[in-house]
């Protein structure tokens, strides 16, 4: 019953929260359609894609409101994110490999979009990303929101992918400065980091200060937790005509969990590596008259790899789900023995999946509930071991 509830909880959590956007309200502003600039608190969602709306509050305790695409011209939050609305010419050909065009020429259409400001200065850089394609634009004193022409296409004659990199010549013709060389142009990549560096170099060369809007890692990217807890395992066996369902048995488990955060904000997506140590032993009596028994003595080093997905409840409390694949290595003569026999069945190394759900408090204390299932312990016997474990942890690095 417990394992079913855990699986259901994980699935409900996943389906409702996996794509949920969670952030913190930070100081920012927006400019409305009447050119009024309003200072406020904006929900910083660490946008991977360009948003068409945002949440804001007029003060800390106010109820959040949603500002729609049609209601603003510009908004900014923190020092990393600034967005402006503009009418641009854009090629909407997909960047995905299976959808790329066979045409080298750009296919521009006009659209009104929310652009992310990357660099602001004498020459400004903007980007637009909707998951299907990534495009860049620039502005100068004489031209506004000009698209940088770039396209990966399939060359039918050569039967291979090729690149239209016209943007390099466009920048060479437009952004002229003594420190900008042909080599700089040749080394350019159609990416945020490369183009940002180039525009900063141009603005610096032109003697104008540059505002740079780059999302920065404001939280640790690596955490180390020490964890300990209790597990309860069920074990069933079908071997040489002997069928046994061992009683559930508790055991102690200890581990160290290394976690790498791949999100710009605090722990949205993380990958984890967790080596664990546990010992389990249990006995099953086949016949109470003869006292014929089977004993499983199982000591394990468990190497677990997986991911976590966090959802923030408040500034101090985060919920997470996790999925893992574990590699269990038995040690210390782990085996199954029977009464009156000398040689037992050795426990084999095995791989098995697990699901989990838990909570992190104050960014250092955690509780982790995990269900491991379908452990195969023997090569010549049919067996199943499933485990529910509850772990408590503390971040020490």
């Amino acid at each position: 019953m417990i394992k079913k509830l855990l699986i259901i909880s994980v699935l409900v959590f996943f389906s409702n929260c996996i794509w949920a956007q969670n952030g913190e309200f930070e100081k920012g502003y927006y400019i409305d359609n009447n050119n009024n600039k309003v200072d406020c608190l904006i929900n910083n969602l660490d946008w991977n894609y360009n948003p068409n709306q945002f949440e804001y509050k007029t003060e800390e305790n106010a109820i959040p409101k949603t500002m729609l695409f049609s209601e603003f011209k510009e908004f900014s939050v923190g020092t990393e994110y600034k967005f402006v609305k503009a009418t641009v010419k854009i090629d909407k050909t997909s960047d995905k490999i299976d959808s790329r065009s066979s045409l080298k020429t750009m296919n521009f259409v006009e659209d009104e979009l929310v652009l992310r400001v990357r660099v602001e200065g004498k020459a400004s850089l903007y980007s637009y990303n909707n998951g299907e394609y990534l495009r860049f634009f620039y502005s100068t004193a004489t031209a506004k929101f000009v698209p940088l022409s770039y396209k990966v296409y399939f060359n039918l004659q050569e039967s291979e992918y090729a690149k239209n990199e016209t943007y390099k010549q466009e920048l060479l013709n437009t952004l002229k400065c003594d420190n900008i060389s042909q080599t700089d142009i040749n080394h350019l990549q159609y990416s945020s980091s490369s183009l940002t560096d180039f525009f900063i170099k141009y603005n610096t060369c032109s003697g104008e200060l540059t505002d740079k809007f780059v999302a920065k890692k404001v939280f640790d990217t690596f955490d180390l937790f020490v964890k300990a807890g209790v597990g309860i395992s069920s074990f069933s066996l079908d071997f040489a005509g002997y069928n046994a369902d061992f009683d559930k048995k508790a055991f102690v488990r200890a581990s160290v969990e290394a976690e790498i955060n791949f999100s710009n904000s605090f722990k949205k997506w993380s990958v984890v590596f967790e080596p664990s140590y546990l010992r389990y032993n249990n006995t099953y009596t086949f016949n109470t008259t003869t006292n014929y028994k089977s004993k499983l003595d199982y000591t394990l080093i468990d190497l677990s790899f997986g991911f976590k997905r966090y959802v923030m409840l408040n500034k101090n409390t985060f919920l997470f789900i996790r999925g893992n694949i574990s590699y269990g290595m038995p040690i210390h003569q782990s085996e199954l023995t029977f009464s009156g026999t000398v040689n037992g069945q050795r426990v084999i190394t095995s791989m098995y999946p697990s699901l989990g759900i838990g909570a992190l408090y104050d960014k250092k204390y955690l509780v982790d509930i995990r269900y491991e299932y379908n452990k195969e312990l023997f090569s010549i016997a049919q067996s199943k071991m499933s485990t529910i474990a509850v772990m408590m942890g503390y971040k020490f690095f």
Side-chain angles (χ1 to χ4, degrees):
M1 183 64 181
I2 295 177
K3 68 183 181 184
K4 290 181 179 180
L5 289 175
L6 180 60
I7 293 174
I8 292 172
S9 298
V10 170
L11 293 176
V12 170
F13 182 100
F14 191 87
S15 62
N16 286 286
C17 299
I18 196 68
W19 303 116
Q21 293 183 312
N22 300 274
E24 294 189 44
F25 282 86
E26 300 178 15
K27 289 183 179 180
Y29 71 84
Y30 68 85
I31 297 176
D32 64 21
N33 291 327
N34 295 319
N35 292 320
N36 297 312
K37 182 179 179 180
V38 180
D39 293 325
C40 59
L41 299 172
I42 294 177
N43 193 11
N44 187 344
L45 298 179
D46 290 311
W47 296 270
N48 292 321
Y49 306 125
N50 293 42
N52 285 325
Q53 61 184 38
F54 60 90
E55 278 191 323
Y56 72 99
K57 296 192 293 187
T58 54
E59 56 186 27
E60 185 66 40
N61 296 323
I63 297 174
K65 297 180 181 179
T66 299
M67 178 71 66
L68 300 177
F69 178 86
S70 60
E71 299 175 317
F72 69 90
K73 288 185 174 182
E74 177 182 315
F75 77 92
S76 178
V77 56
T79 59
E80 295 86 34
Y81 292 99
K82 182 176 182 179
F83 296 92
V84 297
K85 196 161 63 173
T87 299
V88 299
K89 292 182 178 180
I90 184 171
D91 186 325
K92 297 185 177 183
T93 306
S94 176
D95 288 339
K96 295 184 178 180
I97 293 178
D98 57 353
S99 301
R100 283 176 176 165
S101 172
S102 60
L103 299 177
K104 179 179 180 179
T105 56
M106 308 299 293
N107 180 26
F108 290 117
V109 296
E110 192 171 271
D111 201 357
E112 187 177 34
L113 303 172
V114 176
L115 305 182
R116 179 175 174 185
V117 182
R118 294 287 180 174
V119 175
E120 202 166 49
K122 184 176 182 179
S124 298
L125 175 69
Y126 313 89
S127 67
Y128 180 79
N129 185 7
N130 67 356
E132 280 286 329
Y133 47 83
L134 172 65
R135 301 291 184 264
F136 292 95
F137 307 82
Y138 72 94
S139 291
T140 64
T142 58
K144 300 296 182 184
F145 306 111
V146 180
L148 288 172
S149 302
Y150 172 83
K151 190 175 188 178
V152 178
Y153 64 97
F154 188 75
N155 189 322
L156 294 175
Q157 291 182 336
E158 302 294 335
S159 296
E160 62 182 11
Y161 287 103
K163 295 179 181 179
N164 176 347
E165 296 184 306
T166 309
Y167 75 96
K168 292 184 177 182
Q169 189 63 46
E170 293 168 349
L171 291 176
L172 183 63
N173 295 340
T174 306
L175 305 185
K176 297 181 180 295
C177 196
D178 292 340
N179 289 350
I180 303 296
S181 66
Q182 184 66 54
T183 301
D184 294 322
I185 296 294
N186 292 339
H187 288 167
L188 266 180
Q189 301 293 322
Y190 198 79
S191 68
S192 296
S193 58
S194 182
L195 289 171
T196 294
D197 291 342
F198 178 83
F199 273 73
I200 290 174
K201 184 173 183 177
Y202 170 77
N203 288 337
T204 303
C205 175
S206 302
E208 181 166 324
L209 296 178
T210 297
D211 289 327
K212 181 181 179 183
F213 298 87
V214 177
K216 300 175 182 177
K217 293 283 186 182
V218 292
F219 296 100
D220 293 338
T221 57
F222 178 80
D223 290 330
L224 202 61
F225 293 87
V226 59
K227 299 165 64 176
V230 176
I232 299 177
S233 284
S234 60
F235 175 67
S236 61
L237 172 71
D238 183 0
F239 175 65
Y242 292 99
N243 296 299
D245 287 314
F246 286 62
D247 292 335
K248 290 181 172 60
K249 183 72 177 289
F251 61 90
V252 176
R253 179 173 185 150
S255 67
V256 175
E257 181 177 276
E259 181 173 349
I260 300 175
N261 177 26
F262 280 104
S263 304
N264 185 61
S265 60
F266 182 77
K267 293 187 184 303
K268 286 186 178 179
W269 283 102
S270 297
V271 295
V272 292
F273 170 62
E274 183 180 358
S276 303
Y277 173 87
L278 62 93
R279 174 140 189 209
Y280 170 91
N281 60 74
N282 203 355
T283 302
Y284 180 82
T285 302
F286 288 96
N287 190 313
T288 55
T289 303
T290 62
N291 206 31
Y292 185 69
K293 297 180 179 180
S294 175
K295 181 180 180 182
L296 175 61
D297 197 339
Y298 183 41
T299 305
L300 177 72
I301 296 295
D302 178 287
L303 302 179
S304 183
F305 302 85
F307 72 90
K308 284 184 179 178
R309 171 62 161 102
Y310 285 83
V311 172
M312 183 176 66
L313 293 185
N314 54 54
K315 290 184 178 181
N316 293 320
T317 307
F318 296 79
L319 296 180
F320 64 83
I321 59 169
R322 65 183 303 155
N324 290 73
I325 294 293
S326 296
Y327 185 74
M329 300 185 298
I331 58 176
H332 298 321
Q333 299 294 321
S334 295
E335 61 182 1
L336 177 72
T337 57
F338 295 90
S339 299
T341 61
V342 177
N343 297 319
Q345 294 296 319
R346 297 292 296 271
V347 178
I348 62 172
T349 299
S350 60
M351 294 183 67
Y352 41 89
S354 67
L355 293 172
I357 191 168
L360 178 67
Y361 178 74
D362 199 25
K363 300 176 183 177
K364 64 176 63 175
Y365 305 99
L366 67 79
V367 58
D368 185 359
I369 304 173
R370 195 179 315 180
Y371 174 53
E372 299 172 346
Y373 52 99
N374 288 345
K375 289 185 185 179
E376 286 283 358
L377 302 188
F378 306 100
S379 58
I380 62 173
Q382 293 184 359
S383 64
K384 295 290 184 184
M385 174 175 277
S386 298
T387 299
I388 291 284
V390 180
M391 307 281 286
M392 307 294 291
Y394 176 76
K395 176 186 171 183
F396 68 93
F397 178 81

